[in-house]
C-alpha cells in the first residue's frame, strides 16, 4: 500500500513517463525508484523529419536518448561506394547511443529523425547514477540486446520448470558434481575383489589406473551382469580381461552438457575427469547429471540405441519432445537443444541401419551420410530426410553392381525412418536415389562438376551438400573427400562469389523501416523463422567458413572459428550468435506449443502473437542478419 501511495505522490508527468518506460526492456525490469529518477531528470524533445539528432562533430556524447514516438535512422558514409548508407533504425522504446555514451566518446554514426519524432533524454550525470545503481540498466548498457536474450531464455526455462522441477544447469562445471576420490584398482586385481570394493563403497563403477594414475579402463555393474550372463570369464580373472579399455575422459572444467552429449553418443553411464596431466581426479555418472521425470538424455539415447524392433523406435520418438522441455528446464540454450535433438536423431538412424543389416545385410561396407541441418547438427523437432551413401568399390565389382545391392537396402531404411517421424524428402535427397548412392570416386567427380559449373541448381544444392557429415560407417573416405572439396573452394574465387550472391538473396524479413516483411506463400501475417530468420545466418556464415578453410559445419561453431581466425570481429560474432540463437529458441518454443495444441509442426509464426520483448528482440535479430549480409556484400562486392 505504501508503494501505491508513493506512486500517487509523484507528479502526473513522472507517472506517465514511468508507465511508458515499463512497457519496454530494459526498463521493464528496473525498480520504480530508478524509473522515477529517469523520468524526473528527462527532457522530451521533438525532431522533425530529417533533423540531425546526433553527429560525430558534436563531440563527446553527453545525453542518453529513448525514442518515445517516431523513428531514428543511423547513417554512415561508405567510402568505397562513395555514398551514405542506413545502418540501422531505432523504434519506439529503444535507446541510443549506448556504445558512445558508455565509452565517453563521440558517436561514429549520424542519428537522423525518420519522420516526426519525439525522444526522452537524460544528461550524463543522471545516466551515470542509473548505470551505477540499477543492475538491469547497467547490464543492458554494457551488453545491449544480449542482455535481453538472457531474459527470453530465462522465461523459457521458467516455463519448463513448472512441470519438470528444478535441477542443475547444463552449463555447470563438472567438478561441482564429480566424486573427488573415485574408487580405483590395478589391472591385475581379481574381478571378485574389484566387485567387493564397489560393494563396500556403494558405487556402480571402478576405474582401473596405471602407476601414474592415468585411467586405463573402467568396470561397471553393467559389465558384471553381461559377464555373468554370457559366462565370458571367471570372477578370479584379472579385471583387465573384462574392463572397458581407454575410458572416455573430460577435463574437470568441462560442463555438464559436454558430458551428457558424450554419454548419449556412446551409450555409457560413467566418465572420468582428468587434470592437465591426464591423471584421474574424479568420476561423474548420468545419475549425477540428471534427475528428470521418467526420461533423460542418456537413458533415452541408450534405449533407442538398443531397441530390438522398429515399433519400439517409433514409440520412443514421442519422448523427444518431453526431453526438449526437460533440457530447457536444465538450462540448455537453443544451440545445445538442437545438438541434443540431432544426437538422438543420429542414434535413431544408426539403430534403424543396424536392425536392417541384421535382417538383410547388403554385404557391402558403406558410410551413411547426412546433409543440411542434420549435417550441421541443427535439427529441431520438425525434420525431414537429407541423406546419401558413400562406398568404396570392392575388387571385382563395378560401381553399378554395388548400387544394385545397396539401393533396395537404402529404400527400406528411408521408409522405416519415415515411420519414425523423419519425413521423406520431397526433393528426393535420399540414399535410395541412385544419384546419391555413389563411390568415393563418383562423389569426388560430382563435387568437381558441382564447384566448376556454379549453375543455379548447384547453388541451391550448396545449402544441402556443403554441410555433410557421416553418422554410420567408416569416415576416412569422407574426411579425404571433404578436405579436397574445401581446398577447391578456397582456390575458386568465382564459386565463392556465386555462393555469396546466392546467400545474399536470403533476405531477413525486415522492410527498410524495420517493419516485418511477411511471407507471400502462406498466411499473410506469418514469418518463416527457418527460411527468413535462420537461413540468412546459415548461408552467409557458410560462405565465410568455406572461403577461409573452416572445417566445422555447425553455424555457431563456424562463427567462433571465424572470430578466432580474425575474419569476424569478436563483438560482431557474439552479436550474430546471440541473434541466431534467439530465433532458434523462439522457433523451438513455437514447435512445443504446436505439439501441445495437437497441431502439425511448421516454421511459421505470427509476430502479433509474441510479447513486446520477443518482438523487439526478433526484430533486432533480423537486423543483425542484415549486418552480417552487409559484410558479405562488401567482402564480395555484390
Amino acid at each position: 500500500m505504501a508503494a501505491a501511495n508513493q506512486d500517487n505522490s509523484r507528479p502526473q508527468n513522472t507517472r506517465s513517463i514511468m508507465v511508458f518506460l515499463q512497457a519496454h526492456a530494459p526498463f521493464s525490469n528496473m525498480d520504480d525508484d530508478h524509473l522515477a529518477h529517469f523520468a524526473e531528470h528527462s527532457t522530451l524533445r521533438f525532431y522533425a523529419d530529417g533533423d540531425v539528432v546526433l553527429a560525430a562533430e558534436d563531440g563527446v556524447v553527453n545525453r542518453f536518448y529513448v525514442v518515445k514516438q517516431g523513428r531514428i535512422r543511423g547513417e554512415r558514409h561508405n567510402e568505397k561506394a562513395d555514398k551514405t548508407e542506413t545502418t540501422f533504425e531505432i523504434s519506439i522504446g529503444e535507446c541510443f547511443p549506448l556504445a558512445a555514451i558508455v565509452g565517453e566518446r563521440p558517436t561514429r554514426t549520424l542519428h537522423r529523425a525518420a519522420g516526426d519524432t519525439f525522444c526522452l533524454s537524460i544528461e550524463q550525470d543522471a545516466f551515470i547514477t542509473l548505470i551505477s545503481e540499477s543492475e538491469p540498466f547497467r547490464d543492458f548498457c554494457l551488453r545491449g540486446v544480449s542482455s535481453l536474450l538472457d531474459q527470453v531464455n530465462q522465461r523459457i526455462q521458467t516455463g519448463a520448470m513448472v512441470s519438470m522441477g528444478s535441477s542443475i544447469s547444463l552449463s555447470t562445471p563438472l567438478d561441482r558434481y564429480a566424486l573427488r576420490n573415485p574408487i580405483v584398482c590395478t589391472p591385475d586385481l581379481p574381478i571378485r575383489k574389484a566387485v567387493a570394493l564397489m560393494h563396500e563403497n556403494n558405487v556402480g563403477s571402478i576405474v582401473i589406473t596405471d602407476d601414474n594414475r592415468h585411467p586405463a579402463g573402467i568396470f561397471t555393474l553393467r559389465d558384471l551382469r553381461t559377464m555373468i550372463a554370457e559366462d565370458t570369464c571367471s570372477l578370479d580373472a584379472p579385471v583387465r580381461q573384462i574392463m572397458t579399455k581407454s575410458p572416455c575422459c573430460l577435463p574437470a572444467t568441462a560442463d555438464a552438457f559436454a558430458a551428457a552429449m558424450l554419454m548419449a553418443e556412446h551409450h555409457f553411464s560413467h566418465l572420468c575427469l582428468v587434470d592437465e596431466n591426464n591423471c584421474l581426479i574424479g568420476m561423474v555418472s548420468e545419475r549425477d547429471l540428471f534427475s528428470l521425470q521418467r526420461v533423460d538424455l542418456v537413458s533415452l539415447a541408450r534405449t533407442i540405441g538398443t531397441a530390438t524392433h522398429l515399433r519400439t523406435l517409433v514409440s520412443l520418438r514421442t519422448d523427444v519432445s518431453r526431453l526438449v522441455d526437460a533440457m530447457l528446464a536444465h538450462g540448455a540454450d537453443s544451440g545445445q537443444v538442437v545438438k541434443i535433438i540431432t544426437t538422438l536423431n543420429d542414434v535413431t538412424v544408426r539403430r534403424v541401419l543396424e536392425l536392417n543389416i541384421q535382417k538383410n545385410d547388403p554385404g557391402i561396407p558403406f558410410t551413411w551420410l547426412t546433409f543440411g541441418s542434420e549435417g550441421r547438427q541443427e535439427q529441431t523437432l520438425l525434420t525431414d530426410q537429407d541423406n546419401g551413401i558413400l562406398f568404396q568399390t570392392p575388387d571385382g565389382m563395378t560401381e553399378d553392381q554395388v548400387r544394385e545391392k545397396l539401393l533396395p537396402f537404402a529404400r527400406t531404411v528411408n521408409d522405416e525412418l519415415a515411420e519414425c517421424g523423419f519425413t521423406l524428402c520431397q526433393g528426393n535427397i535420399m540414399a535410395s536415389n541412385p544419384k546419391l548412392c555413389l563411390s568415393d570416386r563418383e562423389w569426388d567427380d560430382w563435387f568437381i562438376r558441382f564447384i566448376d559449373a556454379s549453375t543455379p541448381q548447384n547453388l541451391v544444392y550448396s545449402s544441402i551438400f556443403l554441410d555433410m557429415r557421416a553418422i554410420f560407417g567408416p569416415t576416412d573416405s569422407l574426411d579425404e573427400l571433404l578436405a579436397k572439396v574445401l581446398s577447391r573452394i578456397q582456390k575458386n574465387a568465382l564459386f565463392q562469389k556465386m555462393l555469396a550472391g546466392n546467400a545474399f538473396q536470403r533476405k531477413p524479413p525486415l522492410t527498410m523501416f524495420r517493419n516485418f516483411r511477411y511471407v507471400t506463400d502462406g498466411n499473410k501475417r506469418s514469418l518463416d523463422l527457418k527460411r527468413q530468420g535462420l537461413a540468412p545466418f546459415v548461408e552467409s556464415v557458410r560462405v565465410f567458413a568455406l572461403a577461409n578453410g573452416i572445417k566445422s559445419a555447425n553455424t555457431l561453431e563456424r562463427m567462433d572459428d571465424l572470430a578466432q581466425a580474425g575474419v569476424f570481429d569478436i563483438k560482431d560474432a557474439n552479436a550474430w550468435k546471440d541473434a541466431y540463437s534467439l530465433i532458434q529458441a523462439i522457433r523451438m518454443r513455437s514447435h512445443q506449443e504446436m505439439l501441445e495444441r495437437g497441431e502439425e509442426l511448421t516454421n511459421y509464426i505470427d509476430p502479433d502473437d509474441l510479447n513486446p520483448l520477443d518482438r523487439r528482440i526478433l526484430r533486432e535479430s533480423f537486423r543483425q542478419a542484415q549486418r552480417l549480409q552487409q559484410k558479405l556484400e562488401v567482402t564480395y562486392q555484390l
Side-chain angles (χ1 to χ4, degrees), residues 138-188:
R138 178 171 60 254
D139 188 38
F140 173 76
C141 290
L142 296 179
R143 298 200 298 132
V145 75
S146 299
S147 69
L148 304 186
L149 178 59
D150 291 344
Q151 296 177 35
V152 174
N153 287 335
Q154 186 176 19
R155 188 171 63 250
I156 293 173
Q157 292 168 20
T158 301
M161 289 279 190
V162 173
S163 59
M164 301 308 302
S166 62
S167 64
I168 68 170
S169 165
L170 284 181
S171 299
T172 304
L174 289 172
D175 57 7
R176 279 188 52 189
Y177 301 94
L179 182 63
R180 273 293 172 183
N181 294 302
I183 306 306
V184 300
C185 70
T186 64
D188 295 327

Side-chain angles (χ1 to χ4, degrees), residues 178-461:
L179 182 63
R180 273 293 172 183
N181 294 302
I183 306 306
V184 300
C185 70
T186 64
D188 295 327
L189 188 73
I191 297 172
R192 187 186 308 275
K193 291 187 177 181
V195 174
L197 270 175
M198 293 162 63
H199 178 69
E200 290 170 9
N201 291 276
N202 192 29
V203 294
S205 64
I206 189 168
V207 184
I208 296 86
T209 59
D210 61 19
D211 294 339
N212 296 317
R213 204 174 168 79
H214 296 158
I218 188 170
F219 180 69
T220 68
L221 291 179
R222 183 178 290 113
D223 297 328
L224 177 64
R225 290 197 300 269
T226 302
M227 182 193 82
I228 294 174
E230 299 178 358
D231 195 22
T232 52
C233 63
S234 76
L235 289 172
D236 294 319
V239 71
R240 68 170 178 270
Q241 289 188 13
I242 197 67
M243 71 182 185
T244 300
K245 297 179 180 178
S246 303
C248 279
C249 301
L250 281 176
T253 53
D255 57 26
F257 176 71
M261 293 298 288
L262 261 181
M263 290 179 178
E265 184 77 15
H266 299 287
H267 304 165
F268 53 69
S269 305
H270 302 79
L271 57 82
C272 303
L273 298 191
V274 295
D275 62 17
E276 61 274 11
N277 298 315
N278 198 38
C279 294
L280 182 71
I281 59 174
M283 283 286 293
V284 65
S285 71
E286 63 174 303
R287 187 177 302 174
D288 297 323
L289 294 179
F290 301 111
S291 57
L292 307 186
Q293 299 174 357
R294 296 187 298 280
V295 62
D296 67 48
L297 171 62
V298 181
S299 66
L300 179 56
R302 186 183 301 114
T303 304
I304 293 172
T306 57
T308 56
H309 296 93
L310 177 65
R311 62 178 179 271
T312 304
L313 292 174
V314 173
S315 65
L316 287 171
R317 295 299 297 172
T318 60
D319 285 339
V320 177
S321 177
R322 287 187 59 237
L323 183 63
V324 171
D325 268 340
M327 293 297 99
L328 291 172
H330 279 72
D333 60 33
S334 61
Q336 292 174 334
V337 173
V338 293
K339 278 198 172 184
I340 288 168
I341 294 173
T342 302
T343 296
L344 293 175
N345 289 348
D346 287 356
V347 175
T348 303
V349 172
R350 289 192 198 107
R351 194 54 185 160
V352 170
L353 288 164
E354 290 164 353
L355 292 175
N356 276 282
I357 288 174
Q358 291 173 12
K359 290 185 297 184
N360 186 23
D361 190 344
I364 305 290
F366 65 88
T367 301
W368 189 269
L369 307 174
T370 186
F371 315 118
S373 59
E374 177 81 358
R376 294 191 301 273
Q377 296 180 290
E378 294 171 356
Q379 285 208 316
T380 62
L381 297 175
L382 177 59
T383 181
D384 61 0
Q385 295 187 51
D386 286 324
N387 46 50
I389 285 178
L390 179 152
F391 61 83
Q392 290 184 303
T393 309
D395 292 339
M397 294 184 70
T398 67
E399 290 158 335
D400 286 336
Q401 288 173 331
V402 174
R403 259 186 294 279
E404 189 175 343
K405 287 182 173 291
L406 288 176
L407 287 174
F409 174 86
R411 167 51 64 188
T412 301
V413 171
N414 286 146
D415 290 341
E416 292 188 356
L417 288 175
E419 291 186 52
C420 292
F422 303 91
T423 57
L424 296 173
C425 176
Q426 294 182 354
N428 201 23
I429 308 296
M430 293 186 293
S432 53
N433 181 348
K435 296 180 180 179
L436 297 175
C437 180
L438 304 175
S439 69
D440 48 358
R441 182 195 65 81
E442 290 173 319
W443 273 113
D444 194 38
D445 288 345
W446 189 88
F447 270 109
I448 290 174
R449 296 193 303 272
F450 173 85
I451 294 170
D452 289 346
S454 300
T455 64
Q457 183 60 56
N458 282 356
L459 292 173
V460 172
Y461 282 156

